Amino acid sequence: MQSQQKMGTMRMGPLIFSMALPAMISMLINALYNIVDSIFVARYSASALTAVSLVFPLQQLVIAIAVGTGVGVNSLIARCLGAKDQEKADNAAEHGVVLSIVGGIVFILLGFLGSRPFLSGFTENAAVLEQAVSYSHIAVGLSIFVMVSIMCEKIQQSTGNMIIPMCQGLTGAIVNIILDPLLIFGIGPFPEMGIRGAALATIIGQVVGMLIGLWGVFVHQKVLALRMRGWKPNLRMIGAIYQVGLPGIIMQSLSSVLTAGMNAILIQFSETAVTILGVYFKLQTFIFMPVFGLNQGALPVMGYNFGARDRHRLLSAYRITLISALVILGVGTVIFQIFPAQMIMLFTPANDPAATADMLETGIPALRIISLSFLGAGFGIINSTVFQAIGHGLASLVVSFCRQLCIILPVAALLGYFFGLGATWYAFPFAEYIAVVISYAVLARIYQKEIKNLAPKAQ
């Protein structure tokens, strides 16, 4: 109870950072895991790293559905708590748990039956294809654990509890990092499993995170009372969750479509270009994950104060979150401009100087150009947080659709066709800053209709 009350009374700066810091730490560790995981895979073989890059869109799809559904549940719970509707908040959490399990079952089918048809469309290299399919069967087919884990994170975050979600991410990532070299290279009593070992290490880490999350939701937290034994589906409740969640799912799924589309464009130039895009996505998580942690801390605060009709606190949360995000991404831009070669060298295959030189030649300009988009992305992420927090997930979808499908892919294809591989990377900053203009136009409209005249209800 105290954790939800602080969202309406505590000073906004300390509140945002007390809520966001655990999520930021957890996400930084997860970003570190992503990088370390790919480093080990790259050391195993260059083809293995390319295979992981090809599977990445499917993994993005898993996260899109898990996070999108979780955000819908998070937003609904926070707004219900702000409006003092305890029963509806409890029921939203119960529905979230069930929806995450259903989503995981769907990915069992997709991972084992759909991986080969999907991946065969992006490479004719038999060795790369077999490694990609093998990795996908485990990492995608057994993704039910990460879906339940993410839902547990979102449920707890909606109540103001950020510590247990941090422990989920930390413990799962640490287990993953420890197991990676043991299972990939066959150290000690462990068999050499190669790329399958990397996938298995990921799943074991996710299982550990899920178990901690389930304990946090059903045993530790006291704000919500989940009664799964007598649970019954409520179509109106599911509709309320996906009013925010479905646009969020589609929005994040666009990242999967974007990556697959870019892979299709880049493979026409070389497999190295596809690998570099995969390396970029791994590296940029270390910059963007703290911002997404900030997002997770701010979303329930914004949702609670919107539900409580406190315009001043809602806007204060927006300003503090936006400024913090821009500072983080500004530092990230500087790092990508100064140290691209050093970052790429982390992912070069052992004892293969030709492949290393090829990756550096392709990757250095790519990282420098794409990083010019970081500040624009900061505006887009935080504006989307506002949209989701106040129940306007569709607004986030519109902005993201314009950026990732209507702009990046066509522009990248045209630039590549007329000016070559080096020009395709400019599609990222071009699209990001166009999206900034669109998102502020949408935000201004919502502000005038729903935020400008907010005032707390008389007691």
Side-chain angles (χ1 to χ4, degrees):
M1 186 65 66
Q2 183 180 1
S3 61
Q4 69 177 92
Q5 288 176 344
K6 72 180 182 181
M7 292 194 281
T9 58
M10 187 174 174
R11 283 182 56 205
M12 189 55 68
L15 173 61
I16 291 290
F17 289 107
S18 69
M19 295 277 288
L21 190 58
M24 293 170 75
I25 293 172
S26 174
M27 288 192 156
L28 275 172
I29 297 297
N30 274 283
L32 179 62
Y33 139 67
N34 277 323
I35 292 173
V36 172
D37 183 67
S38 293
I39 290 172
F40 285 128
V41 169
R43 290 291 184 266
Y44 188 75
S45 73
S47 62
L49 183 59
T50 301
V52 170
S53 298
L54 290 175
V55 177
F56 189 60
L58 291 176
Q59 292 178 289
Q60 285 180 303
L61 184 61
V62 171
I63 299 303
I65 293 178
V67 173
T69 304
V71 166
V73 172
N74 181 314
S75 176
L76 181 57
I77 293 173
R79 283 180 280 132
C80 290
L81 292 176
K84 313 301 181 187
D85 190 342
Q86 184 68 47
E87 183 179 356
K88 189 174 180 181
D90 294 343
N91 197 224
E94 293 164 359
H95 276 75
V97 173
V98 174
L99 290 171
S100 68
I101 294 172
V102 172
I105 293 171
V106 170
F107 274 104
I108 292 174
L109 300 175
L110 178 62
F112 285 97
L113 301 180
S115 293
R116 184 176 294 276
F118 174 81
L119 294 166
S120 62
F122 295 93
T123 181
E124 296 180 355
N125 186 319
V128 170
L129 177 61
E130 290 307 315
Q131 289 184 89
V133 170
S134 178
Y135 184 83
S136 182
H137 280 168
I138 299 172
V140 178
L142 301 180
S143 57
I144 186 171
F145 305 111
V146 72
M147 299 195 79
V148 175
S149 181
I150 288 173
M151 181 57 66
C152 290
E153 289 182 6
K154 298 303 182 187
I155 290 171
Q156 293 171 96
Q157 289 165 357
S158 69
T159 70
N161 183 346
M162 310 300 286
I163 300 300
I164 302 302
M166 178 186 73
C167 293
Q168 288 181 240
L170 282 173
T171 308
I174 290 170
V175 168
N176 200 333
I177 290 171
I178 292 172
L179 289 178
D180 257 334
L182 301 178
L183 296 177
I184 292 172
F185 299 105
I187 298 174
F190 297 93
E192 180 182 338
M193 299 179 67
I195 196 170
R196 290 187 298 114
L200 186 59
T202 297
I203 294 300
I204 294 173
Q206 290 169 354
V207 170
V208 172
M210 180 194 71
L211 293 175
I212 296 173
L214 289 171
W215 173 82
V217 167
F218 287 97
V219 179
H220 182 267
Q221 66 85 25
K222 307 300 181 186
V223 176
L224 301 167
L226 282 72
R227 303 176 183 86
M228 303 306 301
R229 184 183 296 270
W231 180 85
K232 293 181 180 179
N234 183 319
L235 294 180
R236 292 186 64 183
M237 179 66 67
I238 294 172
I241 290 170
Y242 283 111
Q243 182 180 355
V244 171
L246 184 58
I249 289 170
I250 298 173
M251 180 177 67
Q252 296 204 46
S253 297
L254 294 178
S255 296
S256 177
V257 176
L258 168 64
T259 305
M262 285 298 299
N263 284 345
I265 293 169
L266 296 174
I267 198 69
Q268 300 177 53
F269 296 98
S270 68
E271 286 188 358
T272 301
V274 173
T275 303
I276 288 297
L277 183 66
V279 167
Y280 161 72
F281 280 123
K282 299 293 184 180
L283 289 170
Q284 61 97 27
T285 60
F286 206 72
I287 306 300
F288 279 88
M289 283 302 180
V291 178
F292 289 128
L294 195 64
N295 171 336
Q296 289 191 14
L299 192 149
V301 175
M302 292 178 182
Y304 183 95
N305 286 286
F306 180 75
R309 300 184 58 80
D310 194 327
R311 178 175 62 89
H312 173 74
R313 287 182 64 80
L314 173 61
L315 295 180
S316 178
Y318 171 73
R319 286 192 296 268
I320 291 170
T321 308
L322 178 62
I323 292 169
S324 302
L326 294 179
V327 169
I328 294 169
L329 292 170
V331 172
T333 303
V334 172
I335 292 172
F336 269 66
Q337 292 297 317
I338 297 177
F339 303 110
Q342 291 85 344
M343 291 190 289
I344 291 170
M345 286 295 292
L346 295 172
F347 301 90
T348 53
N351 304 317
D352 193 343
T356 298
D358 192 21
M359 287 184 67
L360 289 171
E361 181 181 1
T362 303
I364 289 174
L367 295 190
R368 284 178 170 156
I369 292 168
I370 298 174
S371 67
L372 297 175
S373 68
F374 286 0
L375 290 178
F379 286 100
I381 291 168
I382 305 307
N383 286 351
S384 290
T385 303
V386 177
F387 299 150
Q388 292 168 343
I390 65 177
H392 279 279
L394 184 60
S396 293
L397 173 60
V398 169
V399 174
S400 198
F401 183 84
C402 290
R403 178 174 66 87
Q404 298 193 70
L405 293 190
C406 296
I407 304 175
I408 286 185
L409 290 180
V411 170
L414 289 172
L415 290 175
Y417 180 80
F418 288 107
F419 303 106
L421 173 62
T424 60
W425 311 116
Y426 283 101
F428 285 87
F430 178 81
E432 211 65 74
Y433 289 101
I434 294 295
V436 169
V437 176
I438 297 171
S439 71
Y440 270 104
V442 175
L443 183 60
R445 182 172 178 271
I446 291 174
Y447 176 83
Q448 291 295 327
K449 292 182 64 177
E450 299 189 32
I451 299 176
K452 182 178 180 180
N453 296 318
L454 283 179
K457 295 177 182 178
Q459 299 295 319

